[in-house]
Amino acid sequence: TEQIIKKIKSLVDQGDFTLLRLTFPKLAEAQGGDPYSEWPITVAVEGGYHNLAMLFDKLSKFSRIVNVEEFNLIALQAQVDKTLSATFVAKTFVYSEPKEVPAAGAPGGAPPAGN
């Protein structure tokens, strides 16, 4: 997770953006037997249109899956150096170790067969 934070921060810095917000919520529990948990990272930046396109292109080339969701783009009133404000959620997935199920015959497990 630390590598993801560093990579996203590095991409924002390379794109000549003003970072307004970078929020990493606590990782949610995996659901329904799926060993992967969703990790939505909220990003808010000000910058240029082409730099934003390059940021998304670089996100698409990460070694792990990153989906961009809840994308919002607003033109800035004073367009001197920066022309837009963008907010989005970069959602990735993190492997969660499955919780161990007690073995049959063990305390809390299923009773042994034949009893």
Side-chain angles (χ1 to χ4, degrees):
T1 56
E2 196 172 301
Q3 290 177 341
I4 297 169
I5 295 168
K6 287 180 182 179
K7 284 182 179 182
I8 291 176
K9 176 75 171 90
S10 174
L11 288 180
V12 168
D13 291 343
Q14 290 172 17
D16 193 29
F17 291 101
T18 301
L19 180 62
L20 303 176
R21 184 175 66 238
L22 189 60
T23 307
F24 297 91
K26 185 178 177 184
L27 191 62
E29 293 272 334
Q31 299 293 319
D34 186 2
Y36 292 93
S37 300
E38 290 184 350
W39 194 32
I41 303 162
T42 304
V43 182
V45 294
E46 287 183 350
Y49 178 80
H50 294 290
N51 290 345
L52 186 62
M54 288 189 287
L55 172 72
F56 289 150
D57 180 58
K58 290 178 182 177
L59 276 175
S60 75
K61 293 180 176 138
F62 269 17
S63 60
R64 66 182 329 134
I65 295 171
V66 178
N67 295 322
V68 174
E69 301 176 350
E70 300 177 34
F71 179 69
N72 188 14
L73 188 64
I74 299 170
L76 296 175
Q77 293 294 323
Q79 296 188 5
V80 179
D81 294 329
K82 314 275 192 254
T83 58
L84 58 87
S85 174
T87 59
F88 59 92
V89 174
K91 187 181 287 184
T92 190
F93 302 88
V94 179
Y95 180 75
S96 301
E97 289 291 330
K99 294 182 179 170
E100 290 188 28
V101 178
N115 286 341

